[in-house]
Amino acid sequence: MEADLVIVGAGLFGLTVAQQAVEKAGARVEIIDIRDHIGGNAYSYMDKETGAEIHQYGAHLFHTSNPTVWKYVNRFTEFTDYVHRVYTTHDGEVYPLPINLGTINQFFHAHYTPAQAKALIDEQAGELAGTDPENLNDKGISLIGRPLYEAFIKNYTAKQWQTDPSELPASIIRRLPVRLTYDNRYFRDTWEGLPKDGYTAWMERMIDDPRIHVTLGTDFFDESQPLNRRALVGRVPVVYTGPVDRYFDYELGELKWRTVDFKEVRYDEGDHFGCPVMNFADADVPYTRAIEFKNFNPERRDSQNPDKTVVWEEYSRFATRDDEPYYPVNTAEDKALYQKYAAKASAEPKVVFGGRLGTYAYYDMHNVIGSALNAYEHHVAALLAD
């Protein structure tokens, strides 16, 4: 197909731009991706043994308060009424998260009112109360007091970053939400849920148009195949959603990321944790959390194996160049380096950079879709018109 637009990356950003380009400009779109599937990190598949929908790159929960995004995604999928709630294990006991009045009263074996709980937390911040510490450890204590911080935040964060929190910048946790009610709903957005027939089916519908062609297993930087950077840039509009430093062959240096490793554990029981996500706040458990996929979709119980379940344990570490980048480290040095790459990106002819990798930012799914709709309207549409 002779393409009017080439999109590098079949994640939500690229798929949204492709759909808009076809619908609004009648464009012919070629999507390429180095992976063997569409959907980016939101890709999911069905596990035959358990009947669970596996989120291959970790738990993905859709939520938004943006009416434009909510209206848009409902064109391609219906959503379940799933409400995300998280629990954490500390010292052999399970508590609700985020920290709320139930967590506080359970932890202190008390029945504090909201005002009493707030006064207690303020008192437990001690000499750090009202200060603006530079390291994460002291910042956490100043925000929620030492006992709660050390029980639920300190060791979890150390495992996430593989670094003692006293050596991490305070900017990582500008705030720690503490709810002085019994509300343990994780997200506070207007809408949330999971696609009724799975993430992959949702995304397949987004590009179900003969004017969109997808080529998988294709490396944009491999000049032995025709859909490569040298052959395309400047000749046809390109939307690039890969790592921005990789686009420029790391010539200014590498941006740092955290990645996640998963260890799969299968149990001969119908339900192991009783919830979709269980955090582990203590240092003696090497992983940060465990995901039990069956529990995301209780409405599918009749099609799931009642005697088997699958759990993924999640381990966080710093990424190498060969790892899948998940979360930008975003030190001051990284931010400064990204600004240099962003300046170079803005000078690339007919190239629009987007998505978390292309802009060195962490986005939830609704943010990705919103930014893609915006990028099409303000950048891509003009390139197609030209």
Side-chain angles (χ1 to χ4, degrees), residues 22 53 70 96 128 137 163 235 268 275 282 300 317 323 375:
V22 167
E53 180 184 349
W70 183 242
L128 293 172
N137 191 77
T163 304
R235 294 178 173 84
D268 293 327
C275 63
D282 298 334
R300 298 178 186 168
R317 61 179 173 83
D323 288 318

Side-chain angles (χ1 to χ4, degrees), residues 125-143 168-175:
E127 71 279 4
L128 293 172
T131 65
D132 189 20
E134 294 186 1
N135 73 76
L136 187 152
N137 191 77
D138 291 352
K139 181 72 171 179
I141 295 170
S142 74
L143 290 172
L168 291 169
S171 60
I172 292 174
I173 54 163
R174 292 183 179 89
R175 56 187 295 274

Side-chain angles (χ1 to χ4, degrees), residues 250-267:
Y250 309 105
E251 63 182 65
L252 301 178
E254 293 186 41
L255 293 164
K256 294 191 289 295
W257 293 82
R258 282 165 43 229
T259 192
V260 175
D261 297 320
F262 299 101
K263 178 184 176 183
E264 183 176 281
V265 184
R266 291 180 179 264
Y267 295 95

Side-chain angles (χ1 to χ4, degrees), residues 4-5 236-239 349-352 376 379-386:
D4 302 307
L5 174 67
V236 62
V238 172
V239 173
K350 298 184 180 181
V351 180
V352 175
Y376 176 79
H379 303 290
V380 179
L383 290 176
L384 292 173
D386 289 342

Side-chain angles (χ1 to χ4, degrees), residues 212-247:
I212 298 175
H213 184 262
V214 180
T215 305
L216 299 174
T218 301
D219 185 350
F220 183 56
F221 302 102
D222 177 8
E223 294 184 7
S224 70
Q225 58 84 27
L227 297 170
N228 68 76
R229 175 188 165 183
R230 183 183 295 275
L232 296 173
V233 171
R235 294 178 173 84
V236 62
V238 172
V239 173
Y240 176 79
T241 68
V244 62
D245 51 357
R246 174 68 183 92
Y247 183 94

Side-chain angles (χ1 to χ4, degrees), residues 11-269:
L12 271 174
F13 189 97
L15 299 183
T16 301
V17 172
Q19 187 278 326
Q20 291 285 282
V22 167
E23 180 175 271
K24 295 187 173 181
R28 298 163 299 174
V29 181
E30 177 73 48
I31 303 174
I32 67 173
D33 200 298
I34 197 168
R35 292 171 171 171
D36 62 359
H37 60 75
I38 67 167
N41 279 15
Y43 169 75
S44 66
Y45 62 91
M46 299 304 294
D47 180 67
K48 293 181 180 179
E49 182 183 44
T50 63
E53 180 184 349
I54 305 294
H55 304 182
Q56 181 162 313
Y57 302 92
H60 277 69
L61 301 313
F62 191 83
H63 56 97
T64 186
S65 294
N66 184 326
T68 300
V69 170
W70 183 242
K71 182 179 179 180
Y72 179 76
V73 298
N74 274 272
R75 293 176 55 188
F76 309 106
T77 184
E78 293 182 74
F79 287 86
T80 68
D81 58 1
Y82 175 81
V83 174
H84 192 46
R85 290 183 170 87
V86 174
Y87 297 86
T88 188
T89 299
H90 165 65
D91 198 21
E93 191 169 348
V94 175
Y95 298 84
L97 287 180
I99 296 171
N100 59 71
L101 196 57
T103 318
I104 293 167
N105 279 329
Q106 181 181 348
F107 183 74
F108 290 108
H109 305 288
H111 52 89
Y112 295 120
T113 66
Q116 290 171 331
K118 185 179 186 307
L120 175 71
I121 290 171
D122 291 344
E123 176 188 343
Q124 290 178 340
E127 71 279 4
L128 293 172
T131 65
D132 189 20
E134 294 186 1
N135 73 76
L136 187 152
N137 191 77
D138 291 352
K139 181 72 171 179
I141 295 170
S142 74
L143 290 172
I144 63 172
R146 187 180 296 275
L148 290 171
Y149 166 75
E150 292 188 345
F152 300 114
I153 307 299
K154 180 177 181 177
N155 293 315
Y156 187 91
T157 303
K159 289 188 288 186
Q160 270 191 313
W161 290 89
Q162 296 185 303
T163 304
D164 189 292
S166 64
E167 299 174 11
L168 291 169
S171 60
I172 292 174
I173 54 163
R174 292 183 179 89
R175 56 187 295 274
L176 282 172
V178 174
R179 298 178 185 169
L180 297 176
T181 69
Y182 290 94
D183 178 13
N184 70 334
R185 179 179 169 184
Y186 195 79
F187 302 118
R188 286 188 156 180
D189 282 305
T190 306
W191 301 283
E192 68 175 295
L194 296 170
K196 281 190 175 180
D197 50 2
Y199 280 102
T200 300
W202 163 16
M203 294 175 205
E204 286 173 344
R205 290 191 196 102
M206 292 179 70
I207 55 171
D208 184 16
D209 190 290
R211 292 166 292 184
I212 298 175
H213 184 262
V214 180
T215 305
L216 299 174
T218 301
D219 185 350
F220 183 56
F221 302 102
D222 177 8
E223 294 184 7
S224 70
Q225 58 84 27
L227 297 170
N228 68 76
R229 175 188 165 183
R230 183 183 295 275
L232 296 173
V233 171
R235 294 178 173 84
V236 62
V238 172
V239 173
Y240 176 79
T241 68
V244 62
D245 51 357
R246 174 68 183 92
Y247 183 94
F248 296 104
D249 199 25
Y250 309 105
E251 63 182 65
L252 301 178
E254 293 186 41
L255 293 164
K256 294 191 289 295
W257 293 82
R258 282 165 43 229
T259 192
V260 175
D261 297 320
F262 299 101
K263 178 184 176 183
E264 183 176 281
V265 184
R266 291 180 179 264
Y267 295 95
D268 293 327
E269 52 188 308

Side-chain angles (χ1 to χ4, degrees), residues 359-380:
T359 59
Y360 192 62
Y362 178 75
Y363 293 118
D364 288 325
M365 286 182 285
H366 65 288
N367 298 132
V368 173
I369 294 167
S371 66
L373 293 171
N374 183 72
Y376 176 79
E377 180 180 351
H378 292 97
H379 303 290
V380 179

